Amino acid sequence: MFEPIFEIEIIPALSDNYIYIAHDAGGGATAVVDPAEAGPVIAALERRGLELTHILNTHHHFDHIGGNAELVECYGVPVIGPRADSARIPGLDIEVGEGDSCTVGRETARVFDVPGHTSGHIAFWFEKSRALFCGDTLFALGCGRMFEGTPELFWSSLGKLRTLPNETRVYCGHEYTQSNARFALSLDPDNEALKAACQRVDDLRARGERTVPSELGEEKLANPFLRVDDPDLQRLVGMEGAAPEAVFAEIRRRKDSF
Ligand code: ZN
Ligand code: FE
């Protein structure tokens, strides 16, 4: 049976951000991932009687690091984040990038460089807990906006994440799933995996529930941004045989104006 090391709590913040608290009871460690703001994190820690031990950042945007300073002041913990974005993350203590690891209690993440949304974006994959913290690179049924990358870079980042096991849970930075689902369905209306995912997402949202985390195996089948090299998707967008990065660029462009 699957017994994750981390117990992961999802904390909604700002308008549609998610902050994650990953707690290893046996290892006595508690990390927060992408604290948009400190208040709800402190409240959650106090409610559970937990002491924060690490702050993890995926990228420099304010809605992912805004709570860093106050949390450091309260708990005196190290901030771990992207080497390539170190100049834009005040107070970054430990810089990590592709191939590095990051240990939290009895868990160790493999770090991936996943540029595209921002140039210094990273993702943390905690294999034993089947948890991927990917910020604004990969969303449930979508991907982040391409602010600082090229289609080549963004697609190679998504391609890396796509190699992870199907059981991986995707803990992304925002609750954007329902609008992502509408766009995906507009491209690919007969995709059974996508239709099932959309139905589930609509049901969850109708009850006011979260759609995150999603499962990577389902993303591989349903998320158009992970299928830009799939001939079926290419045909649907009129780009059969095109380079995957060109298909990525086209559907990212369509999504921006959807
Ligand atoms: Zn962002
Ligand atoms: Fe964000």
Side-chain angles (χ1 to χ4, degrees), residues 17 59 61 63-64 117 136 139 173-174 176:
N17 276 80
H59 67 295
H61 283 156
D63 62 314
H64 298 256
H117 175 69
D136 293 352
F139 289 130
H174 293 266
Y176 291 158

Side-chain angles (χ1 to χ4, degrees), residues 169-191:
R169 286 174 191 140
V170 180
Y171 291 88
C172 60
H174 293 266
E175 179 64 61
Y176 291 158
T177 316
Q178 201 165 34
S179 61
N180 289 339
R182 287 212 183 87
F183 173 71
L185 212 49
S186 77
L187 293 178
D188 194 8
D190 299 321
N191 179 331

Side-chain angles (χ1 to χ4, degrees), residues 241-255:
E245 56 272 21
V247 179
F248 177 84
E250 172 62 17
I251 64 173
R252 187 56 263 177
R253 192 187 60 72
R254 290 192 198 182
K255 175 69 168 69

Side-chain angles (χ1 to χ4, degrees), residues 60-82:
H60 79 276
H61 283 156
F62 189 74
D63 62 314
H64 298 256
I65 69 167
N68 280 8
E70 194 179 338
L71 290 169
V72 168
E73 201 173 301
C74 287
Y75 298 97
V77 296
V79 178
I80 300 150

Side-chain angles (χ1 to χ4, degrees), residues 115-128:
H117 175 69
T118 66
S119 56
H121 205 303
I122 57 172
F124 298 89
W125 177 46
F126 290 96
E127 181 173 10
K128 286 181 276 187

Side-chain angles (χ1 to χ4, degrees), residues 34-241:
D34 283 354
E37 45 184 345
V41 177
I42 295 170
L45 293 168
E46 286 181 351
R47 175 174 44 76
R48 296 171 63 189
L50 298 178
E51 193 66 30
L52 192 67
T53 58
H54 303 73
I55 298 172
L56 273 48
N57 291 147
T58 62
H59 67 295
H60 79 276
H61 283 156
F62 189 74
D63 62 314
H64 298 256
I65 69 167
N68 280 8
E70 194 179 338
L71 290 169
V72 168
E73 201 173 301
C74 287
Y75 298 97
V77 296
V79 178
I80 300 150
R83 180 174 298 119
D85 251 348
S86 58
R88 298 191 289 187
I89 302 180
L92 188 62
D93 296 298
I94 301 172
E95 300 176 8
V96 292
E98 184 76 21
D100 288 338
S101 57
C102 167
T103 297
V104 175
R106 295 168 300 164
E107 260 285 19
T108 297
R110 195 203 291 184
V111 177
F112 298 97
D113 281 333
V114 286
H117 175 69
T118 66
S119 56
H121 205 303
I122 57 172
F124 298 89
W125 177 46
F126 290 96
E127 181 173 10
K128 286 181 276 187
S129 297
R130 298 182 178 169
L132 174 68
F133 296 102
C134 54
D136 293 352
T137 298
L138 175 63
F139 289 130
L141 302 177
C143 75
R145 278 185 183 260
M146 192 169 67
F147 288 123
E148 298 178 357
T150 62
E152 289 75 13
L153 276 174
F154 210 142
W155 166 237
S156 84
S157 297
L158 292 173
K160 267 183 220 176
L161 300 183
R162 193 177 62 168
T163 65
L164 301 179
N166 287 348
E167 312 75 55
T168 305
R169 286 174 191 140
V170 180
Y171 291 88
C172 60
H174 293 266
E175 179 64 61
Y176 291 158
T177 316
Q178 201 165 34
S179 61
N180 289 339
R182 287 212 183 87
F183 173 71
L185 212 49
S186 77
L187 293 178
D188 194 8
D190 299 321
N191 179 331
E192 292 302 328
L194 176 59
K195 286 197 287 187
C198 291
Q199 185 59 56
R200 202 184 54 247
V201 165
D202 286 342
D203 291 346
L204 285 167
R205 295 310 285 161
R207 297 198 300 268
E209 290 175 30
R210 293 184 293 264
T211 64
V212 171
S214 61
E215 280 219 350
L216 190 60
E218 183 175 80
E219 295 296 331
K220 292 176 192 178
L221 298 172
N223 186 328
F225 294 97
L226 293 183
R227 298 182 55 232
V228 295
D229 55 351
D230 180 330
D232 292 334
L233 185 88
Q234 294 193 340
R235 189 166 346 97
L236 288 165
V237 296
M239 296 183 74
E240 216 170 349

